[in-house]
């Protein structure tokens, strides 16, 4: 079974979100997702300053095998993107919960986090 | 239940990600497809391609039979061991399969065909053989290992018996030699030097282990696909099939038009198409912008009517950007656009060969 940190919340579509406090959330994709995708070669991230909506498309991750949409688990303004992924997309494979993060959001409503899956819920949803 | 090669357990032991490929459980990769790709371009890798089917053709009419069912002319194989890349066509000139045919001995030939088409191919060959004195023998008792890369020959020599080693030293490209139980062919599907060894299934695991022991990297079907695409080689079922003619699949060169009285299956249809002029062509596409070209994306070209379609697309690990094969109207040239999720992304149309022997060879069409 792949790694699933218990402090994170998850979407069934394989994104994770970390509550950084002060209304800030960091978003990435799960270990299970990077493993299923294989070598990641390209990632398309939202623009800083743009608004993302919970459950809606916020970017694309492409591996040698396939392209996959990234959905934002929360609503809010994008305040940072992981620019290092442009030159080193393989970081997503190497460190999906660490250096392989995608973007940070200033959440419109931090209570949205409560409605997301916890590690056990995701494990079940992902059929792991 | 999916079919498995003799190396299935060996793949599992290496942590392979197993996928279904044409009804076979095959290794996609053993960790990193990109790393496996680089191993083949820079050193040596071994592929289990035992899912491909070997069919031996023997009998006094072998030569006229194959001259009838194949678009190449096997009469041009003059010495034992010589090979041709060839197509088996239907009467409409569509590609039933692509294959390699070897002259294996006096009135004996060996075909290596694709796994997904194998059953239909054998049935087709048997139907066509009524008027010919031939014996058509599928060989499920054999396994195939492909060892490819600049160091492939040296590594194989290191694990081969003296006689096989000597044979490898003298083997010219696109020819084969039978040494004991090994049928050694200097062929491949990567654009690198190397050999494909056809051997009894029960001997496959031992050879696999010995190759890994001398530093040959196990390589899955994922890297096989990126390697063949960089080399500009077609994949049956993606870049051509029963509905496409060789003339629109960049495979016209495989057809032997001479002698004119050789009546091979599909000839009449191809002659008409050639006379009328094919309306489409298979080209290479290069996209240096970020993103990845994928099969079935639409290709358009400013000022030219019609549209084309990508037949195979991928990220090229050697070049560091995306490449593709696409079937487009013949008038397409220079720059084109590919529709990627609603965005029109510029691409360059090139000859369908991107990398050979580890080097980039991108040339404008």
């Amino acid at each position: 079974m792949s790694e699933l940190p218990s402090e994170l919340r998850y979407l069934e579509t394989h994104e994770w979100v970390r509550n950084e406090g002060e209304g800030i959330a960091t978003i990435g994709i799960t270990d299970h997702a990077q493993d299923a995708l294989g070598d990641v070669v390209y990632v398309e991230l939202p623009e800083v300053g743009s608004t993302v909506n919970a459950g809606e498309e916020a970017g694309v991750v492409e591996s040698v095998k396939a392209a996959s949409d990234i959905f934002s688990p929360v609503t809010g303004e994008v305040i940072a993107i992981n620019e290092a992924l442009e030159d080193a997309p393989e970081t997503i494979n190497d460190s999906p919960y660490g250096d392989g993060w995608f973007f940070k959001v200033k959440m419109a409503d931090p209570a949205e986090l409560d409605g997301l899956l916890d590690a056990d819920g995701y494990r079940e949803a992902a059929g792991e | 239940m999916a079919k498995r090669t003799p190396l299935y357990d060996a793949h599992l032991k290496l942590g392979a990600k197993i996928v279904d490929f044409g009804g076979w459980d095959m290794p996609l990769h053993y960790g990193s497809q990109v790393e496996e790709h680089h191993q083949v371009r820079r050193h040596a890798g071994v592929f289990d391609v035992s899912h491909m089917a070997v069919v031996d053709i023997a009998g006094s009419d072998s030569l006229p039979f194959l001259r009838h069912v194949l678009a190449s002319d096997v009469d041009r194989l003059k010495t034992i061991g010589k090979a041709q890349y060839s197509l088996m066509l239907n009467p409409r000139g569509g590609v039933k399969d692509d294959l390699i045919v070897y002259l294996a001995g006096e009135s004996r030939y060996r075909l290596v065909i694709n796994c997904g088409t194998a059953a239909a191919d054998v049935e087709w060959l048997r139907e066509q053989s009524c008027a010919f004195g031939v014996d058509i023998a599928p060989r499920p008792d054999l396994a195939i290992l492909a060892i490819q890369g600049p160091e492939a020959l040296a590594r194989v020599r290191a694990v081969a018996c003296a006689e096989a080693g000597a044979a490898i030293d003298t083997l010219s490209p696109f020819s084969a030699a039978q040494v004991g139980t090994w049928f050694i062919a200097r062929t491949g599907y990567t654009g690198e030097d190397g050999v494909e060894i056809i051997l009894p299934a029960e001997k496959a695991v031992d050879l696999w282990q010995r190759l890994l022991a001398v530093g040959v990297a196990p390589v899955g079907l994922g890297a096989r696909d990126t390697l063949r695409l960089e080399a500009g080689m077609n994949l049956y079922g993606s870049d051509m099939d029963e509905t496409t003619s060789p003339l629109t699949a960049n495979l016209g060169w495989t057809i032997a038009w001479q002698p004119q009285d050789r009546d091979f299956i599909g000839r009449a249809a191809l002659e008409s198409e050639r006379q009328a002029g094919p309306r489409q062509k298979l080209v290479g596409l290069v996209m240096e912008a970020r993103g990845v070209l994928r099969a079935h994306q639409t290709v358009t070209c400013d000022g030219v009517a019609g549209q084309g379609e990508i037949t195979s697309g991928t990220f090229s690990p050697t070049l560091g950007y995306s490449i593709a094969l696409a079937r487009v109207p013949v008038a397409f040239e220079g720059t084109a656009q590919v529709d990627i999720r609603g965005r029109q992304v510029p691409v360059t149309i090139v000859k369908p060969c991107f990398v050979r022997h580890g080097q980039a060879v991108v040339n404008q069409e």
Side-chain angles (χ1 to χ4, degrees):
Chain A
M1 187 182 304
S2 57
E3 193 195 341
L4 278 179
S6 59
E7 73 276 17
L8 305 183
R9 291 295 172 268
Y10 300 89
L11 283 187
E12 207 170 315
T13 47
H14 313 292
E15 294 80 4
W16 57 258
V17 54
R18 178 184 291 118
N19 186 355
E20 308 285 5
E22 298 182 355
I24 308 296
T26 305
I27 286 104
I29 63 167
T30 64
D31 191 23
H32 173 78
Q34 70 78 19
D35 185 58
L37 279 168
D39 297 280
V40 174
V41 293
Y42 169 65
V43 58
E44 203 176 292
L45 297 171
E47 280 176 29
V48 172
S50 67
T51 301
V52 292
N53 293 307
E56 290 183 11
E57 209 181 300
V60 176
V61 57
E62 297 220 34
S63 70
V64 279
K65 205 168 77 184
S68 182
D69 289 328
I70 305 162
F71 296 93
S72 181
V74 293
T75 302
E77 185 194 337
V78 177
I79 56 165
I81 58 172
N82 187 355
E83 284 169 5
L85 296 181
E86 186 166 332
D87 291 329
E90 66 275 10
T91 311
I92 295 164
N93 295 112
D94 299 338
S95 176
Y97 301 114
D99 293 342
W101 64 277
F102 282 30
F103 58 94
K104 292 181 193 290
V105 171
K106 174 82 183 162
M107 291 182 282
D109 177 14
E112 274 183 342
L113 291 172
D114 301 334
L116 300 173
L117 297 169
D118 62 10
D120 286 340
Y122 171 73
R123 187 177 286 120
E124 205 172 305
E128 282 215 359
Chain B
M1 165 125 170
K3 288 178 262 188
R4 290 171 177 178
T5 78
L7 290 160
Y8 179 75
D9 289 333
H11 299 317
L12 289 188
K13 231 175 277 175
L14 289 166
K17 187 178 189 78
I18 301 288
V19 293
D20 174 76
F21 186 84
W24 290 76
D25 278 339
M26 296 300 291
L28 182 66
H29 61 73
Y30 303 85
S32 167
Q33 176 178 330
V34 170
E35 188 45 42
E36 289 164 24
H37 179 110
H38 290 318
Q39 283 291 329
V40 174
R41 285 276 178 254
R42 295 167 186 167
H43 306 288
V46 57
F47 307 75
D48 174 15
V49 287
S50 305
H51 59 307
M52 298 192 72
V54 179
V55 179
D56 285 340
I57 311 277
S60 55
D61 287 340
S62 299
L63 176 64
F65 173 63
L66 290 174
R67 292 188 81 207
H68 177 57
V69 295
L70 298 181
S72 67
D73 187 355
V74 295
D75 196 31
R76 295 184 190 171
L77 298 173
K78 294 299 186 193
T79 44
I80 289 174
K82 278 306 286 178
Q84 274 174 357
Y85 174 70
S86 188
L87 302 177
M88 197 159 76
L89 304 177
N90 63 30
R92 299 181 309 281
V95 182
K96 287 189 73 68
D97 206 358
D98 67 333
L99 54 91
I100 292 180
V101 52
Y102 300 92
L103 177 63
E106 183 80 22
S107 288
R108 289 197 300 120
Y109 294 85
R110 169 161 282 182
L111 311 184
V112 180
I113 61 182
N114 284 298
C115 75
T117 44
D121 285 0
V122 171
E123 200 185 316
W124 173 259
L125 288 169
R126 291 207 164 117
E127 278 169 24
Q128 306 310 317
S129 70
C130 299
F132 297 91
V134 290
D135 178 52
I136 297 164
R139 298 293 305 272
D141 56 311
L142 300 176
I144 312 178
L145 296 188
I147 304 97
Q148 304 278 301
E151 297 168 10
L153 296 187
R155 295 278 182 269
V156 174
R157 233 182 271 115
V159 302
C161 66
E163 205 193 337
I168 289 165
D169 285 336
T170 58
L171 209 55
S172 55
F174 247 74
S175 58
Q178 180 81 47
V179 181
T181 59
W182 287 13
F183 181 87
I184 312 164
R186 196 155 165 202
T187 49
Y189 194 45
T190 61
E192 295 299 325
D193 200 357
V195 290
E196 295 177 292
I197 300 177
I198 303 176
L199 75 174
E202 68 272 14
K203 293 186 183 291
V205 172
D206 178 60
L207 176 56
W208 175 266
Q209 303 295 7
R210 281 189 289 151
L211 287 165
L212 298 194
V214 295
V216 180
V219 185
L221 293 186
R224 188 169 164 80
D225 192 52
T226 51
L227 288 158
R228 70 92 192 167
L229 190 45
E230 284 186 350
M233 294 171 175
N234 290 18
L235 173 64
Y236 189 81
S238 295
D239 305 305
M240 76 291 201
D241 60 24
E242 288 246 26
T243 67
T244 37
S245 132
L247 304 181
T248 63
N250 196 34
L251 294 174
W253 62 274
T254 69
I255 301 161
W257 301 97
Q258 301 294 336
Q260 275 185 347
D261 61 354
R262 185 176 69 96
D263 181 27
F264 64 89
I265 297 171
R267 175 163 199 143
L270 289 188
E271 296 267 17
S272 324
E273 187 187 5
R274 187 160 72 143
Q275 216 147 32
R279 304 162 69 121
Q280 293 177 303
K281 59 180 177 180
L282 192 76
V283 296
L285 302 180
V286 162
M287 180 175 76
E288 301 209 27
R290 296 159 52 72
V292 184
L293 300 168
R294 306 279 181 191
H296 310 303
Q297 288 170 341
T298 300
V299 188
T300 51
C301 187
D302 285 342
V304 185
Q307 60 181 43
E309 184 179 313
I310 290 180
T311 53
S312 291
T314 193
F315 173 79
S316 160
T318 305
L319 301 174
Y321 47 75
S322 187
I323 57 171
L325 296 177
R327 183 165 290 107
V328 299
V330 287
F332 277 29
E333 57 181 9
T335 306
Q337 297 84 39
V338 173
D339 184 323
I340 301 181
R341 296 184 292 275
R343 273 188 308 141
Q344 297 299 315
V345 183
V347 295
T348 307
I349 297 175
V350 299
K351 291 201 170 74
C353 177
F354 308 92
V355 178
R356 274 294 154 98
H357 301 298
Q359 302 300 313
V361 286
V362 175
N363 291 306
Q364 286 255 348
E365 219 211 7

